[in-house]
Structures are given as C-alpha cells and as structure tokens.
Amino acid sequence: ADKLDVTAEIAKRTNMVSIFAKAVDWDGGEYGQALLSKYTFLRTGKVDLPTHKSNEPRIAIESLLILPAGDTIRLVGTHLDHQKDSIERIEQAEELNVKFLKDNIPAILAGDINDIPGSETLKILESRWGSSYDPKDPKPTFPSHAPERKIDYVMFSPKERWKVLERQVLCDKVASDHCAVLVVLELLPQSK
C-alpha cells in the first residue's frame, strides 16, 4: 500500500503549514504529534517527555509563530501516558510546566492529557496554565461514540493574557475515537 503523510495532506487540503514530530515507529510508518497553523512557524521543536521502562515514548511538539497583530505565541501539542494510575503522566505534566513556561511568551497547550478534571495531573498543569473548559460543566471528550469523561484539553499561559471567547466539544465517531475540542481564544494586551 502507498504510504501517506497525513499531516502534509491535511495541511494541503486546509491551506495551512504543518510540522510533525515522531514519537515512535508504528506499523511501517510513524506515530507522533502534529501542529497545523494558518501562520508561518518561526521556530519548531520536539521535547521528549519522561517515559518509564518499556512504556510508549511520549513527546510534546512546539512551535513559535507570529500572529498578524505582531504578537509571538507558542503552540504546544502533546499526548500524555494513558495508564490508569500514572506516576509517569504526573512527571510528564511537570515537564510541560518546566519546558514551556520558562519565558514570558504567551502559550497554548492542546492535547490528550489522559486524565480528568480534579486529577493530580490536571492540578499540576492548572497551577500554571489556564483551562478553556467550564469547570462547572466539563464536557466529556472520550470515547467519541458515547463520551463519558473529559481527557482532551486546550490550556493557555499566562492565565491573565488569554480570554476564552468560545468553547465546543465536537464528536464524530468516524473521524476519531476522541471528540474534537474547539476553542476560540483572544490574546489580551500585556498590562504595563
């Protein structure tokens, strides 16, 4: 069978730019994280997240880009460990805080965190990132055919620089086993 670069194909069909970072070799191809943007990437990178023994390697993919208004922002995509009680996932969340919040660049973190609101993993992330979901009504995102728990998130930092304008959970059991999380954020001016 012909191999397909899915990320490049989506970018082409949506008229966006894309990057892909491999986490593992998978079924004759590669499995990892991708980012797509309407705006050109200024810098891109990949961060290996803590992984124990023979568990699946986990990564975060990063890009810096310049918005039309001239602001530089960081986009981060990730997929954390899926084990039930994961010390590894907690270490991965701590690593995200260390690696991507060491400067003052406004950042958006999106991905499958594989943990629910109120969990230790979310407490670690939400100590430094704002969350776009409604804590009074955290819409479930998994599984897409009958969503029962929220494990997919869009987060932002610094918390006071971003305003959530819209949030939706879009489920399509054919497209993915997860529901999509659509969030519209506004970057607020930096206070003096």
Side-chain angles (χ1 to χ4, degrees):
D2 291 339
K3 298 209 185 299
L4 178 66
D5 183 336
V6 175
T7 303
E9 187 64 26
I10 294 171
K12 182 175 141 189
R13 291 181 186 211
T14 58
N15 201 26
M16 292 186 174
V17 294
S18 66
I19 57 170
F20 173 81
K22 178 180 88 165
V24 293
D25 292 316
W26 185 263
D27 197 24
E30 297 175 338
Y31 175 82
Q33 296 294 309
L35 292 175
L36 292 102
S37 174
K38 293 193 304 188
Y39 310 112
T40 304
F41 297 125
L42 187 62
R43 187 181 85 214
T44 63
K46 169 184 152 182
V47 170
D48 293 315
L49 298 176
T51 305
H52 296 182
K53 301 181 202 121
S54 60
N55 288 352
E56 179 182 327
R58 300 296 177 156
I59 65 166
I61 187 171
E62 166 195 28
S63 70
L64 291 183
L65 53 93
I66 300 174
L67 299 177
D71 296 291
T72 299
I73 66 166
R74 170 178 284 120
L75 292 179
V76 179
T78 195
H79 182 183
L80 301 188
D81 184 64
H82 67 284
Q83 308 298 321
K84 187 172 180 350
D85 295 312
S86 177
I87 300 301
E88 197 168 324
R89 187 169 48 249
I90 290 168
E91 291 172 1
Q92 291 165 353
E94 290 169 341
E95 187 76 358
L96 290 170
N97 286 353
V98 168
K99 292 290 186 187
F100 299 115
L101 299 177
K102 57 186 170 210
D103 53 31
N104 225 12
I105 297 172
I108 298 171
L109 167 67
D112 178 353
I113 303 302
N114 265 319
D115 223 333
I116 59 171
S119 65
E120 187 63 26
T121 306
L122 264 291
K123 287 177 186 172
I124 290 164
L125 290 171
E126 290 175 340
S127 71
R128 303 284 308 278
W129 300 84
S131 283
S132 62
Y133 70 93
D134 180 351
K136 295 181 191 83
D137 184 22
K139 301 276 188 228
T141 61
F142 183 83
S144 61
H145 69 279
E148 58 186 40
R149 62 188 187 275
K150 174 159 193 61
I151 61 173
D152 304 281
Y153 299 84
V154 175
M155 306 178 98
F156 48 84
S157 180
K159 295 176 186 183
E160 69 280 356
R161 287 287 314 273
W162 296 94
K163 180 180 178 184
V164 178
L165 301 179
E166 181 182 346
R167 58 179 156 237
Q168 292 182 54
V169 172
L170 307 169
C171 296
D172 181 331
K173 60 187 175 209
V174 174
S176 173
D177 60 334
H178 291 251
C179 299
V181 178
L182 171 68
V183 177
V184 177
L185 297 170
E186 177 184 5
L187 180 60
L188 303 173
Q190 194 160 3
S191 57
K192 308 238 177 209

